[in-house]
């Protein structure tokens, strides 16, 4: 589902942004496939002259115990996960003066 998404200009490396979006979608789709349920919603908001791109899925969520570590290099709960994806996404966002955060229910 795509809600409230409007065109915007990315100030940064387009390839890095595409990689970040791909990684977030792949992570959500992997969990949805494993759980055999769920949807992904993507939307934008504006805040203090910044555009925020939001991703949400309603699969199983991330445990409160794991949440503080999901951006740590090497942290993965998947049997074949490398723990590189979200760590790299965070580093890429920061290299473009952006940020990435997560909330889970």
């Amino acid at each position: 589902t795509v809600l409230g998404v409007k065109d915007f200009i990315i100030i940064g490396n387009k390839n890095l942004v595409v990689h970040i979006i791909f990684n977030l979608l792949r992570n959500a789709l992997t969990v949805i496939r494993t759980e055999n349920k769920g949807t992904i919603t993507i939307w934008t908001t504006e805040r203090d002259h910044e555009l925020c791109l939001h991703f949400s899925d309603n699969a199983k969520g991330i445990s409160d115990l794991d949440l503080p570590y999901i951006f740590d290099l090497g942290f993965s709960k998947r049997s074949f996960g490398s723990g590189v994806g979200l760590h790299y996404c965070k580093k890429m966002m920061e290299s473009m003066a952006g940020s990435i955060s997560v909330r889970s229910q």
Side-chain angles (χ1 to χ4, degrees):
T1 305
V2 179
L3 303 171
V5 174
K6 58 184 175 179
D7 289 340
F8 58 93
I9 296 172
I10 295 171
I11 300 172
N13 185 310
K14 181 177 100 173
N15 292 327
L16 292 180
V17 174
V18 168
H19 181 84
I20 293 165
I21 292 169
F22 173 79
N23 190 78
L24 296 173
L25 285 170
R26 185 188 62 194
N27 286 351
L29 288 169
T30 299
V31 174
I32 287 170
R33 183 183 68 215
T34 301
E35 296 294 310
N36 201 27
K37 67 174 181 139
T39 59
I40 299 170
T41 304
I42 302 170
W43 71 100
T44 58
T45 59
E46 290 185 61
R47 177 183 73 200
D48 300 327
H49 306 291
E50 293 180 340
L51 185 70
C52 301
L53 181 62
H54 304 269
F55 287 80
S56 176
D57 70 70
N58 61 356
K60 70 178 183 175
I62 302 168
S63 80
D64 289 342
L65 295 175
D66 294 338
L67 208 51
Y69 306 105
I70 66 165
F71 294 112
D72 290 356
L73 181 60
F75 182 80
S76 179
K77 297 301 276 191
R78 293 191 200 147
S79 56
F80 296 102
S82 64
V84 173
L86 288 176
H87 173 76
Y88 191 60
C89 287
K90 182 173 180 164
K91 293 296 182 192
M92 287 187 287
M93 286 299 299
E94 290 171 348
S95 77
M96 296 182 288
S99 64
I100 185 169
S101 61
V102 65
R103 287 183 298 178
S104 185
Q105 297 179 16

